[in-house]
Amino acid sequence: RQPGSLFKPLVYLAALDARSELAGGQPITAATLIVDEPVTFESGAGVWAPQNYDHRFHGTVSLRTALEQSLNVPAVKIAKMVGTKRIVQLAQSLGIRSPLADNLSLALGTSGVSLLEITAAFGALAYEGVFVAPTAAQAVMTPEGDPSWRHTPVRHQAVSPQATYVMTSLLTGVVERGTAAKAKAMGLRSAVAGKTGTTDGYRDAWFV
């Protein structure tokens, strides 16, 4: 299914992890300012003009605000700066095996993924950037209770701990005052980092 805006953290994570730089040599950080404005891009299908879900533009915003409010134009601009190939490589390192389009619409979650893939990718954010491949069985026991087989987890450092630390802080803001703030009104009291994702016509609505 299309993850929609649920894919945006991977776009920003690629920028933070690569220590990408804006024109003039400024690194991309949570405080980086991006202009949310009408913009067009050339694509194989013609001219593409991404819109925000509220069909409004919000002017100059920080990367933190852009992610908290799930703005589309800043995400596409960051994807263009970082390069879609780097984003695809990061997603694959985080366990996403579904085919991902190598174009800017990727930033808005237009390529389908499975629930298992995307939750495993988010799991690495909670584990200091270490991806652990999901498994259905941890061990097989004998009738006497002794292990006859034990699973050896497949794991690797997919992204730097520094980048995941910043991303976790950004995703905490999504729940505190962003698109997932309603979770607090519904009774969620713990400190939670998460992201919403909604596809066209509300066909899919995600929260991880």
Side-chain angles (χ1 to χ4, degrees):
R1 309 291 286 228
Q2 289 185 339
S5 295
L6 195 63
F7 197 83
K8 287 174 183 170
L10 304 192
V11 175
Y12 292 123
L13 188 62
L16 294 168
D17 192 51
R19 294 174 175 81
S20 302
E21 294 183 349
L22 301 168
Q26 289 294 106
I28 295 176
T29 70
T32 293
L33 297 179
I34 315 158
V35 182
D36 180 30
E37 62 185 354
V39 64
T40 58
F41 299 96
E42 292 290 339
S43 70
V47 176
W48 178 50
Q51 300 286 324
N52 290 317
Y53 67 94
D54 59 0
H55 301 289
R56 296 169 49 222
F57 296 98
H58 303 266
T60 302
V61 295
S62 67
L63 186 149
R64 177 180 289 277
T65 297
L67 185 59
E68 288 179 357
Q69 302 304 321
S70 204
L71 302 179
N72 287 341
V73 172
V76 175
K77 284 186 172 182
I78 291 292
K80 186 173 178 61
M81 294 176 197
V82 176
T84 54
K85 290 193 186 314
R86 187 185 294 274
I87 296 167
V88 169
Q89 288 171 353
L90 174 64
Q92 292 172 340
S93 184
L94 288 168
I96 294 179
R97 298 290 175 257
S98 297
L100 299 175
D102 188 10
N103 60 54
L104 289 176
S105 71
L106 174 70
L108 305 185
T110 56
S111 293
V113 298
S114 74
L115 177 61
L116 183 61
E117 287 176 322
I118 201 72
T119 51
F122 270 64
L125 299 182
Y127 199 28
E128 297 184 343
V130 176
F131 170 76
V132 180
T135 182
Q138 186 175 23
V140 175
M141 313 300 286
T142 67
E144 292 73 35
D146 300 318
S148 63
W149 171 86
R150 191 176 295 279
H151 173 69
T152 302
V154 176
R155 65 179 72 199
H156 63 264
Q157 190 78 45
V159 63
S160 72
Q162 294 88 345
T164 55
Y165 179 88
V166 175
M167 180 51 60
T168 300
S169 171
L170 294 174
L171 294 178
T172 301
V174 172
V175 180
E176 290 292 336
R177 56 192 164 269
T179 56
K182 197 165 187 178
K184 290 288 186 183
M186 294 173 69
L188 187 64
R189 294 289 175 261
S190 310
V192 173
K195 183 71 185 77
T196 55
T198 307
T199 57
D200 289 345
Y202 296 95
R203 181 174 184 269
D204 296 298
W206 305 71
F207 178 65
V208 177

